[in-house]
Amino acid sequence: MDGRTDVYSLGVLLFWSLTRQHPYSGNTIAEVFAAQMTNRIRRLENHRGVDPRLAAIIERAICLDPRDRHASAAEMADELAHYCWERSRPTRIPVRREMRDQLLMTG
């Protein structure tokens, strides 16, 4: 075991936080375990309102094979921080030159 176990746990927690569901479905513990061992996860992209870029980060974190996950919690944190930064960047709104000049003169 290494840090990717923590990455997996964080991925499951984020999945639950967004959906209020476990990533693996089943009516019994055996069914859930079988779903987990075959990596049959509920797809986040099927949940309304979940950004596909965020879904990709979380789904990578809960990959069955640890080699397919983020190498460390720090790497996952960097990817999440980049995602948050991208979402928070202001959008440039095109402004006609006359309006821009008027705004600059009054400001």
Side-chain angles (χ1 to χ4, degrees), residues 37-71:
M37 291 296 96
T38 57
N39 207 32
R40 290 189 324 258
I41 64 170
R42 293 179 174 149
R43 304 297 301 187
L44 276 171
E45 63 194 27
N46 297 335
H47 292 274
R48 194 172 40 151
V50 177
D51 186 311
R53 295 171 298 167
L54 180 58
I57 295 169
I58 295 170
E59 289 175 357
R60 179 178 173 203
I62 59 177
C63 282
L64 180 62
D65 188 338
R67 294 172 295 188
D68 294 332
R69 298 178 200 153
H70 303 87

Side-chain angles (χ1 to χ4, degrees), residues 24-37:
Y24 304 97
S25 62
N27 294 323
T28 66
I29 291 175
E31 288 177 1
V32 171
F33 184 71
Q36 186 178 17
M37 291 296 96

